[in-house]
Amino acid sequence: GNSVTQMEGPVTLSEEAFLTINCTYTATGYPSLFWYVQYPGEGLQLLLKATKADDKGSNKGFEATYRKETTSFHLEKGSVQVSDSAVYFCALSRANAGGTSYGKLTFGQGTILTVHP
Amino acid sequence: EAGVTQFPSHSVIEKGQTVTLRCDPISGHDNLYWYRRVMGKEIKFLLHFVKESKQDESGMPNNRFLAERTGGTYSTLKVQPAELEDSGVYFCASSLQPQGPPYNEQFFGPGTRLTVL
């Protein structure tokens, strides 16, 4: 079956530090890959996505590249801010060769990020 | 435009009692999903509605869980009778009917935290 593995947390960084959160996946078919973020007291929000190999998703200074050869989708940011403190979830959604999504998301366990001033 | 809303935000019940969670999706979204996160682990898919029909209920843990979406609008998830292991955060998400792209962005509610004592 499909699965997503994220690096163990929590991750604690100082402001302006470089961030990497590792994510690897196992999936059949043609998965789309996502990073979701959950800020305190809020629901999950889509941070970025990539729908095919070698695609790079980016948003709010975060980036992740869909690497089919290593089945990875690591999240990076060059300079984190205190406001980036949140829980980050890597996820995948399968799709068939015709591009129709199966809909349901498979998540990793989440990584808590705390950024100190 | 209002986002996905869930009620209640917290619920504390005793083992053996019944609890009903409600989700109001974004207006016009045909797809509605229920997920659960238990004890800081990964978020797991429970089921998927397309309008009022259950498209995929492969993630429902057992027959103590009953989900409905009468009229294709809001959805309820009833747990009867509740057990200790049902404690966790229940998320609802909604999306438009996917067309074209292989991904299907899901918009999440803030979740209902259920504690079974």
Side-chain angles (χ1 to χ4, degrees), chain B residues 37-98:
Chain B
R37 188 182 192 207
V38 174
M39 288 292 290
K41 295 186 178 179
E42 70 271 24
I43 300 170
K44 286 195 173 181
F45 167 80
L46 296 178
L47 86 159
H48 170 202
F49 284 99
V50 178
K51 298 185 179 178
E52 67 274 11
S53 300
K54 292 177 183 175
Q55 179 78 9
D56 180 356
E57 51 184 328
S58 61
M60 294 289 264
N62 52 61
N63 60 9
R64 295 186 293 104
F65 290 75
L66 174 65
E68 295 180 325
R69 192 183 183 195
T70 306
T73 54
Y74 71 91
S75 174
T76 58
L77 180 65
K78 180 190 287 188
V79 185
Q80 179 183 28
E83 299 289 345
L84 298 179
E85 63 265 25
D86 300 332
S87 296
V89 180
Y90 290 77
F91 292 101
C92 175
S94 72
S95 69
L96 288 169
Q97 185 71 19

